[in-house]
Amino acid sequence: MPLPPAPSKRAALLAPEAYSLKSSDDDFKDLPAPAPAPTARQADTSPRTTPARSGANGKRKDSGKGTAKPVVAPAPIPDQVVRAPEPAAVPAPAPILTPVLAKTPQPAPARRGRSAASVSTGPTRLFVLDTNVLLHDPMSLFRFEEHDIFLPMIVLEELDGHKKGMTEVARNGRQTSRTLDALAAQTGGDMAKGLKLSATGHLAARGTLFFQTEPLHDELPASLPQGKADNQILGVVHALRDKFPQREVILVSKDINMRVKARALGLAAEDYENDKTLDDGELLYSGALALPQDFWTRQSKTIESWQSGSHTFYRVSGPAVTQFHINQFVYFEAPGEPSLYARVTEIRDKTAVLKTLKDYTHLKNAIWGVTSRNREQNFALNLLMDPEIDFVTLAGTAGTGKTLMALASGLTQVLDDRRYTEIIMTRATVSVGEDIGFLPGTEEEKMGPWMGALDDNLEFLAKGDAGGAGEWGRAATNELIRSRIKVKSMNFMRGRTFMNKYVIIDEAQNLTPKQMKTLITRAGPGTKIICMGNLAQIDTPYLTEGSSGLTFAVDRFKGWPHGGHITLARGERSRLADFASEVL
């Protein structure tokens, strides 16, 4: 049935103070009751002065029959039945307020920050951070979304002990201290009640940061030394679990032994995994995709093709397009049918454009005497020789030809095509075994022992290029090559800008994501960067396949129009090296 029209003079029954919509019950106890209407329905419609109780959702609700909200006017009565008298002492409010009352407003729910004394019973959890998490990632405080964070006092003590020095750990400790200081200095912040993590601009962090402001009594086994910092943190986690049994309290630590001890004591413990790009190395983007056997059958009615120079283009559609990425290689191989090797150059809605590749397996397309020996090497050379590709990542096991192809492509584009002015090569100086100590000489001489792979490949390339030129010819070729190759240390890359350079970053699997960002952002106009590495041979402590800088770069640049990646699958060094890669 249609609602009756709102009375034109109903607003005159309320005092001006009644228009202030507040959520506190105390704000309504002093308001005068509306003037009663002379009708028999008064018992059912007149509001009571007793404040209604607050529901679980923060909105007010009626407590029983005959109970009404203090702010809301009684149910409207048509003017034909009865008209309420106008009190002469109360002036009529402004007309703009009349439609507000006609919408029957509800008191706004109070918004209170969560505190350690009154935690919510919702799905949010309370994470206790270990010191090594803050030293590993200073931004870890803002990585837990809507969940809350608790920092024991011993964690602040350990942070203070790691702030001195020029190491990465010391820098992270100082940055964490500055972040905590900014959070503690927020307007209206109270450390006893918790600090909003979003106060410094990190809107994704919707939780609250709690500091340990009072002693927490724990009951750990007497066999655990009480003076050790790890055991004190475990005691705090145990005490918080007992203090807030309705809430899930979880310890987050990068220390494996710490997590084992916590689980032995019946406490929940997790590793900090926000720094991991992938949970499983098998999920890494390979850069190549095999087309299904019925691909051309589904494309028989919708395929378009055209010729441009030496390349053929195909416009395809179908369910396989949803798996494509820009600059991803696709191939079709079937017995008795012509093979297709192409690269995705355009994706629009449900269609994609494929561009056929240049065949570097043929001797006429050899690069400094180097030809590709398998499908993935052909894909890699197409990326390395394309001037429109600014960033190339190559991953693969030992002996797949990463360094040789990168050097051959660089020498061709520097010495023959004059596309770049010189080759700059660097690598992470992480030794396999113990360090042999300081190395003498200049920067390039110090990097010499680390560049054995460069020397080996240059010897092969120079021998093939000089041909039968004799000893003097080979010496001249080596001198020319050496003059165009610069070996630089990563430690002095900050602030540099490479213009029209061909930069090779070898052993990139040993770089952290921060170091990878530092190197890639050195690129100036006309510079091409090649990152190479074997994720199965990571020598840097605390780095895994999921957190390596090479994995980070491959995942972030996936689908960029000027970047490409390929995973080299088959080794071409020797049968001994291939067998060792498989069985060892």
Side-chain angles (χ1 to χ4, degrees), residues 233-254:
I233 296 175
L234 291 174
V236 170
V237 177
H238 193 278
L240 289 174
R241 190 191 64 174
D242 294 342
K243 187 175 183 180
F244 307 118
Q246 77 281 7
R247 193 168 195 187
E248 189 176 4
V249 181
I250 301 174
L251 171 66
V252 181
S253 175
K254 297 292 293 182

Side-chain angles (χ1 to χ4, degrees), residues 100-122:
V100 176
L101 287 178
K103 293 181 181 180
T104 315
Q106 299 285 347
R111 296 182 179 180
R112 300 181 177 90
R114 293 189 293 264
S115 63
S118 58
V119 295
S120 63
T121 57

Side-chain angles (χ1 to χ4, degrees), residues 14 40 58 127 173 187 270 272 281 315 377 379 431 445 448 509 556:
L14 297 179
F127 289 99
T187 304
E270 294 181 1
Y272 179 71
R315 188 181 302 276
Q377 285 187 354
F379 294 163
S431 58
E445 291 173 346
Q509 78 277 1
R556 291 297 189 271

Side-chain angles (χ1 to χ4, degrees), residues 18 55 135 137 159 166 210 212 305 372 433 443 456 488 516 576:
L135 295 176
D137 182 9
L159 276 178
M166 295 300 296
F210 300 110
Q212 182 182 355
S305 64
S372 58
E443 176 189 355
D456 297 340
K488 300 296 181 183
M516 182 66 74
L576 173 61

Side-chain angles (χ1 to χ4, degrees), residues 377-407:
Q377 285 187 354
N378 190 32
F379 294 163
L381 287 176
N382 274 272
L383 289 176
L384 293 171
M385 295 299 296
D386 191 345
E388 294 298 322
I389 302 297
D390 299 333
F391 183 72
V392 179
T393 50
L394 302 177
T397 58
T400 50
K402 302 182 295 295
T403 307
L404 180 63
M405 289 190 297
L407 272 177

Side-chain angles (χ1 to χ4, degrees), residues 295-528:
F295 179 75
W296 292 117
T297 305
R298 296 187 178 187
Q299 301 292 329
S300 57
K301 297 181 180 180
T302 59
I303 191 170
E304 300 178 28
S305 64
W306 64 93
Q307 192 82 14
S308 178
S310 60
H311 299 280
T312 304
F313 292 83
Y314 299 93
R315 188 181 302 276
V316 298
S317 61
V321 175
T322 59
Q323 306 177 28
F324 290 172
H325 297 280
I326 296 293
N327 287 332
Q328 184 181 24
F329 293 95
V330 295
Y331 58 93
F332 177 82
E333 295 176 341
E337 297 187 21
S339 301
L340 171 70
Y341 303 99
R343 190 174 73 196
V344 181
T345 59
E346 179 185 330
I347 298 176
R348 186 173 298 177
D349 296 332
K350 296 182 180 180
T351 64
V353 176
L354 306 181
K355 177 183 178 182
T356 57
L357 306 179
K358 188 174 183 179
D359 185 14
Y360 287 101
T361 61
H362 200 282
L363 285 175
K364 68 177 182 179
N365 296 325
I367 302 173
W368 270 61
V370 175
T371 58
S372 58
R373 294 188 177 183
N374 55 55
R375 179 180 59 222
E376 285 75 19
Q377 285 187 354
N378 190 32
F379 294 163
L381 287 176
N382 274 272
L383 289 176
L384 293 171
M385 295 299 296
D386 191 345
E388 294 298 322
I389 302 297
D390 299 333
F391 183 72
V392 179
T393 50
L394 302 177
T397 58
T400 50
K402 302 182 295 295
T403 307
L404 180 63
M405 289 190 297
L407 272 177
S409 302
L411 291 173
T412 299
Q413 297 176 83
V414 169
L415 297 176
D416 299 343
D417 301 339
R418 304 298 177 99
R419 188 175 296 158
Y420 308 103
T421 57
E422 63 181 1
I423 298 175
I424 293 180
M425 192 164 186
T426 184
R427 59 165 290 174
T429 54
V430 180
S431 58
V432 177
E434 292 189 15
D435 200 349
I436 62 175
F438 293 102
L439 298 173
T442 62
E443 176 189 355
E444 194 152 344
E445 291 173 346
K446 291 178 183 293
M447 291 295 296
W450 299 101
M451 290 299 171
L454 172 65
D455 297 332
D456 297 340
N457 288 279
L458 284 181
E459 181 182 355
F460 172 81
L461 293 173
K463 183 185 300 182
D465 185 71
E471 185 178 352
W472 289 100
R474 287 195 298 270
T477 303
N478 290 333
E479 189 66 26
L480 176 62
I481 292 175
R482 290 290 182 179
S483 66
R484 296 301 183 93
I485 297 179
K486 297 293 187 297
V487 179
K488 300 296 181 183
S489 173
M490 282 179 28
N491 300 335
F492 310 105
M493 289 293 184
R494 182 73 72 185
R496 297 197 60 181
T497 301
F498 300 130
M499 304 181 66
N500 296 319
K501 301 292 193 298
Y502 187 90
V503 183
I504 300 176
I505 304 174
D506 201 5
E507 304 296 334
Q509 78 277 1
N510 289 323
L511 299 178
T512 64
K514 183 178 180 180
Q515 291 172 328
M516 182 66 74
K517 178 181 178 181
T518 301
L519 293 177
I520 297 176
T521 52
R522 302 304 99 207
T527 293
K528 184 167 189 169

Side-chain angles (χ1 to χ4, degrees), residues 22-60:
K22 298 180 180 180
S23 59
S24 176
D25 294 340
D26 297 336
D27 296 336
F28 303 107
K29 62 183 180 181
D30 297 330
L31 295 179
T39 174
R41 299 173 62 183
Q42 181 180 5
D44 296 331
T45 59
S46 59
R48 298 174 60 182
T49 58
T50 304
R53 297 178 181 177
S54 176
N57 58 357
K59 297 183 180 180
R60 304 180 59 80

